[in-house]
Amino acid sequence: SVDCSFSRGVCDWKQDTDDDFDWNPADRDRGDGYYMAVPAFVGHKNDMGRLKLLLTDLKPKSSYCLIFSYRLAGEKVGKLRVFLANKKTAPVWEENKEKDEKWRTGKIEIFQGAETTNSVTFESERGKGKTGEIGVDNVILISGLCPED
């Protein structure tokens, strides 16, 4: 497995330069490192911020599982989407509201065909709300199918 978390991970993260705002580091409550977040008050409604994970060494014709923690906190905070580079048009994962503001786990299966996925993009879309944030943390890439809960 490859640790792509932000504080101590080994992965290559890039801010998209064609979007409306950047993701920023935010301190974890426990004080052990940080996660990446977009506060609700950044930008205007429907603005986008994209954070891209560059994947270099994925083998063709194999399966991987991307596991990550995420949180959507605040009223009408917006949407969090995940895109794979070789499927640019539609998100492979999307979330817009949780019953509470707890951290949850997202899982995405990445199947490598002849054409390999060379990046995963986390996209935050600004909502109408003024408080809260969208956060992503603990991104890990493991080889094989995603484990059942």
Side-chain angles (χ1 to χ4, degrees), residues 49-106:
R50 293 183 200 92
L51 187 62
K52 193 176 283 189
L53 170 59
L54 304 179
L55 302 170
T56 45
D57 299 325
L58 298 192
K59 295 183 188 77
K61 300 190 169 72
S62 17
S63 304
Y64 293 89
C65 179
L66 185 75
I67 303 174
F68 57 97
S69 301
Y70 69 94
R71 179 172 71 171
L72 288 97
E75 190 66 30
K76 298 190 173 92
V77 73
K79 290 183 179 154
L80 175 63
R81 295 186 192 95
V82 181
F83 293 87
L84 297 180
N86 58 356
K87 298 178 176 56
K88 280 192 176 64
T89 50
V92 291
W93 186 95
E94 181 171 352
E95 194 62 68
N96 63 0
K97 182 86 180 75
E98 292 297 347
K99 293 176 226 26
D100 55 40
E101 303 189 343
K102 290 188 179 123
W103 284 93
R104 304 210 178 276
T105 301

Side-chain angles (χ1 to χ4, degrees), residues 84-143:
L84 297 180
N86 58 356
K87 298 178 176 56
K88 280 192 176 64
T89 50
V92 291
W93 186 95
E94 181 171 352
E95 194 62 68
N96 63 0
K97 182 86 180 75
E98 292 297 347
K99 293 176 226 26
D100 55 40
E101 303 189 343
K102 290 188 179 123
W103 284 93
R104 304 210 178 276
T105 301
K107 293 179 190 172
I108 297 166
E109 300 210 317
I110 301 174
F111 297 106
Q112 298 291 66
E115 187 184 323
T116 58
T117 301
N118 60 3
S119 71
V120 174
T121 301
F122 287 85
E123 177 182 85
S124 166
E125 179 182 337
R126 167 89 155 81
K128 279 192 256 189
K130 298 269 188 277
T131 59
E133 69 175 14
I134 293 176
V136 171
D137 198 6
N138 300 325
V139 181
I140 294 174
L141 187 67
I142 60 173
S143 152

